[in-house]
Amino acid sequence: MTVPSTATATVDSKVVLITGASSGIGEATARRLAAAGHRVLLGARRTDRIAAIAEDIRSTGGSADHHELDVTSLDSVRAFVRAAHELHGRVDVLVNNAGVMPLSTLDALKVDEWNRMIDVNLRGVLHGIAAVLPAMRAQGAGHIVNIASVSGHRVDPTAAVYSATKFAVRALSEGLRQESRDLRVTVISPGLTHSELTEGISDPGAREAARDMMKIAIPAAAIGEAINYAISQPLEVDVNEVVIRPTAQS
Ligand code: NDP
């Protein structure tokens, strides 16, 4: 995607941190927000990927940096946020996007994968909130965007634990929203979206079924567009939840 050469930091340019920005929705969001003139900081474990994406954004006139990030570690998330403060002196938006989806039926007893989903999808979001909340409260403003899922609204076979983490993300987002009069809280719930998410499914049957469903997936850019919409609203307007799925998805 080409970033317009007019994409420069302006007074409306927000400092946006994106977790899981090395592929899929996180990458597309970084590119879209940089094109809108925001200053993005990309985080993920695959630093070669985020370095290349940030370089590509900069080469087309956007503002982008990258920092290694493992959301399962609170120390790592705090270092990620510290990097943004060192670069820009503030954090305006955190997009808690990092996630994994190793689908399987419960009786397969893939307990390690259950724990990984809890660690990344739920604990990772909590770590993000913990890392930015004090500074956002001190600023008296900020925006936390949590990526849930259509699976945070419904449960399907093989997705019990994944859905549990995404229901939980919606619950804690609502709790944070109710406790906040200064912060904006947005939940983005995508349906089937092109990304690398199904590559982490170890169960052959679940992987094949998921890949089959992905035939109707929408581009990750569609989710980046929704996030851009939410953060570009006036400060007193909090877009609480957006559900975006393929027209053909049940
Ligand atoms: P991808 O697999 O393409 O992206 C997942 C991202 O999460 C990668 O950048 C990966 O980076 C990162 N990630 C995984 N584990 C960690 C970790 N421990 N620390 C930091 N980053 C991590 O999939 P999507 O783009 O689809 O996923 C993004 C979000 O969208 C997820 O929360 C997912 O649940 C959600 N979602 C996706 C849907 C879809 O159909 N694609 C539908 C509904 C929701 P790296 O491996 O480099 O660390």
Side-chain angles (χ1 to χ4, degrees):
M1 180 178 167
T2 308
V3 180
S5 57
T6 50
T8 51
T10 67
V11 279
D12 292 331
S13 167
K14 297 180 196 299
V15 176
V16 185
L17 279 68
I18 303 165
T19 74
S22 56
S23 59
I25 291 169
E27 174 182 352
T29 300
R31 291 183 184 279
R32 180 65 186 91
L33 298 184
H38 300 298
R39 291 163 284 172
V40 295
L41 180 63
L42 291 77
R45 293 165 306 168
R46 289 174 294 176
T47 49
D48 53 337
R49 292 264 204 121
I50 49 176
I53 296 163
E55 172 59 34
D56 193 39
I57 291 172
R58 284 195 299 274
S59 74
T60 49
S63 168
D65 293 280
H66 73 281
H67 195 277
E68 183 176 15
L69 172 69
D70 181 346
V71 298
T72 66
S73 156
L74 179 57
D75 285 347
S76 176
V77 182
R78 284 191 166 139
F80 179 55
V81 172
R82 211 161 39 241
H85 280 282
E86 282 162 13
L87 281 164
H88 302 294
R90 59 186 291 117
V91 170
D92 298 305
V93 184
L94 170 66
V95 182
N96 277 314
N97 165 74
V100 294
M101 188 190 69
L103 301 176
S104 61
T105 53
L106 289 168
D107 58 12
L109 296 184
K110 291 182 180 280
V111 178
D112 288 349
E113 293 186 351
W114 302 350
N115 286 333
R116 197 152 57 84
M117 283 187 273
I118 293 166
D119 286 344
V120 177
N121 302 0
L122 177 53
R123 204 164 271 130
V125 171
L126 285 164
H127 288 162
I129 292 169
V132 297
L133 198 51
M136 285 185 174
R137 287 266 190 261
Q139 283 170 190
H143 193 165
I144 295 179
V145 179
N146 293 331
I147 308 302
S149 173
V150 164
S151 295
H153 293 258
R154 58 184 266 182
V155 184
D156 296 288
T158 75
V161 180
Y162 181 71
S163 274
T165 64
K166 295 301 189 177
F167 271 76
V169 166
R170 291 185 58 232
L172 70 93
S173 302
E174 176 62 7
L176 177 62
R177 187 192 71 75
Q178 290 188 15
E179 291 176 12
S180 304
R181 292 293 174 270
D182 47 355
L183 305 189
R184 298 193 289 175
V185 182
T186 299
V187 178
I188 302 284
S189 286
L192 298 164
T193 305
H194 282 299
S195 75
E196 299 178 6
L197 200 62
T198 58
E199 289 176 20
I201 304 174
S202 65
D203 183 278
R207 188 171 58 238
E208 198 179 328
R211 284 185 178 162
D212 194 50
M213 286 194 319
M214 281 292 180
K215 286 176 184 160
I216 59 164
I218 54 176
I223 313 303
E225 195 61 42
I227 295 170
N228 185 49
Y229 165 76
I231 72 172
S232 64
Q233 297 307 302
L235 284 184
E236 69 274 20
V237 177
D238 186 3
V239 177
N240 297 139
E241 180 152 18
V242 183
V243 182
I244 313 154
R245 72 188 116 198
T247 308
Q249 185 174 347
S250 64

